[in-house]
């Protein structure tokens, strides 16, 4: 289920993605048609529920696009339920330590690695493919912790040393906030921290992901060696295009969005 993304990470190529914040499954359908490599459906912020997540996963069916879910917390219920409706992996928010990764592994993996329970939901084709899924899920699913706090940066080597981590995702805005620069995308020192995290992860054969706020930044992140680069969020991209077109037509718009 994650073959295309894994191949790009292994080859040192950049896989481009999209952050999904809207319930409209057409967003995912179009992303798949366009050949986007991966999407991350965001449950940490906003209003999406598991019915919305299932709709996005159904819209991605028949594509080779990886569909990740960022749950609202590191707890059992949201991780388990996201996987049960068919998510290809989890982007775990606000990871501060290796111990938090290992605790989340209990919810993410089937025995003997974790304690994920076996159910008959969409991930196993409503029980019709249960045996095949449970045999392969521990190897096929992607677990991606977010490195987005000063504590996680302080504990980076221990986090990167946990078995099973193939990629991490950086959160510059939250990293900045944790260092006292609330509301800044890359506060003082965070640019250097991002590149240091990228370098140290690469030394361990681990890919790094990050969100780009515009095309030039996406090019920059690609050239820096990030293996996963989000082109932005669905709503953010819509706002960006509307503002650009309106400006070119002489229409004033208001406000500013991060990504």
């Amino acid at each position: 289920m994650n073959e295309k993304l894994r191949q790009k990470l292994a080859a040192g190529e950049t896989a481009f993605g999209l952050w999904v914040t809207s319930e409209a499954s057409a967003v995912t359908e179009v992303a798949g048609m366009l050949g986007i490599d991966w999407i991350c459906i965001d449950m940490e912020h906003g209003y999406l529920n598991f019915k919305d997540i299932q709709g996005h996963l159904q819209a991605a069916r028949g594509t080779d696009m990886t569909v990740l879910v960022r749950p609202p917390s590191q707890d059992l219920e949201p991780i388990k339920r996201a996987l049960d409706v068919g998510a290809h992996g989890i982007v775990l928010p606000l990871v501060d330590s290796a111990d938090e990764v290992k605790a989340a592994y209990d919810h993410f993996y089937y025995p003997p690695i974790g304690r994920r329970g076996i159910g008959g939901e969409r991930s196993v084709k409503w029980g019709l493919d249960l045996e095949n899924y449970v045999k392969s899920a521990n190897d096929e699913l992607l677990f991606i912790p977010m490195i987005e706090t000063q504590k996680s940066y302080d504990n980076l080597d221990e986090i990167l040393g946990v078995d099973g981590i193939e990629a991490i995702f950086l959160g510059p805005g939250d990293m900045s906030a944790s260092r006292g620069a609330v509301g800044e995308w890359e506060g003082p020192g965070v640019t250097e921290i991002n590149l240091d995290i990228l370098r140290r992860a690469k030394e361990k054969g681990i890919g790094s992901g990050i969100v780009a706020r515009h095309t030039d930044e996406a090019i920059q992140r690609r050239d820096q060696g990030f293996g996963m680069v989000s082109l932005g969020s669905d709503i953010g991209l819509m706002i960006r295009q509307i503002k650009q077109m309106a400006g070119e037509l002489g229409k004033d718009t208001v406000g500013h969005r991060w990504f």
Side-chain angles (χ1 to χ4, degrees):
M1 63 182 71
N2 293 309
E3 183 178 359
K4 178 182 178 183
L5 176 56
R6 281 194 167 111
Q7 285 177 346
K8 290 203 168 188
L9 290 173
E13 301 176 10
T14 299
F16 291 102
L18 175 68
W19 218 257
V20 174
T21 65
S22 165
E23 78 277 15
S25 60
V27 170
T28 292
E29 187 176 29
V30 170
M33 290 176 177
L34 289 172
I36 295 297
D37 298 309
W38 60 271
I39 63 170
C40 181
I41 307 168
D42 194 359
M43 295 186 77
E44 184 189 11
H45 303 291
Y47 58 90
L48 298 187
N49 59 38
F50 290 102
K51 185 176 181 180
D52 299 325
I53 304 306
Q54 180 165 309
H56 283 291
L57 284 157
Q58 289 171 332
R61 199 171 198 171
T63 74
D64 57 5
M65 181 172 65
T66 288
V67 181
L68 304 165
V69 172
R70 180 164 70 167
S73 71
Q74 300 175 8
D75 296 331
L76 165 65
E77 181 182 358
I79 293 175
K80 175 180 68 174
R81 293 185 68 186
L83 295 176
D84 282 350
V85 297
H88 303 162
I90 294 294
V91 177
L92 195 70
L94 295 170
V95 171
D96 281 339
S97 68
D99 286 342
E100 289 184 2
V101 172
K102 293 172 184 176
Y105 271 9
D106 261 359
H107 314 325
F108 183 83
Y109 287 112
Y110 289 123
I113 301 173
R115 299 190 304 142
R116 180 184 173 191
I118 295 175
E121 288 71 36
R122 185 178 179 277
S123 62
V124 297
K125 298 181 181 177
W126 309 110
L128 297 172
D129 195 40
L130 189 147
E131 186 176 354
N132 287 329
Y133 178 87
V134 298
K135 282 182 177 179
S136 61
N138 281 359
D139 293 324
E140 291 196 11
L141 295 171
L142 275 170
F143 184 98
I144 303 177
M146 291 203 71
I147 308 300
E148 52 183 343
T149 67
Q150 182 63 46
K151 285 184 180 179
S152 64
Y153 182 52
D154 293 340
N155 295 323
L156 183 64
D157 288 336
E158 288 80 7
I159 294 171
L160 295 176
V162 177
D163 289 340
I165 294 179
E166 302 171 64
I168 57 174
F169 213 94
L170 282 62
D174 282 322
M175 178 67 75
S176 298
S178 75
R179 291 167 52 85
V182 180
E184 295 188 37
W185 183 251
E186 281 188 310
V190 174
T191 297
E192 293 75 18
I193 286 173
N194 288 338
L195 294 178
D196 185 50
I197 293 170
L198 170 68
R199 176 186 61 79
R200 289 159 66 182
K202 188 174 293 187
E203 287 174 354
K204 293 183 177 293
I206 295 171
S208 296
I210 198 166
V211 171
R213 296 166 295 170
H214 46 74
T215 304
D216 288 345
E217 189 170 61
I219 293 170
Q220 178 190 45
R221 296 308 192 189
R222 179 200 64 190
D223 294 347
Q224 287 171 340
F226 281 90
M228 296 174 68
V229 174
S230 171
L231 302 177
S233 72
D234 45 6
I235 301 299
L237 284 165
M238 182 179 73
I239 291 172
R240 187 192 310 171
Q241 184 66 20
I242 290 172
K243 287 177 71 65
Q244 177 184 327
M245 290 184 68
E248 291 174 359
L249 292 167
K251 167 67 176 175
D252 291 334
T253 58
V254 299
H256 171 74
R257 184 180 167 96
W258 267 5
F259 65 91

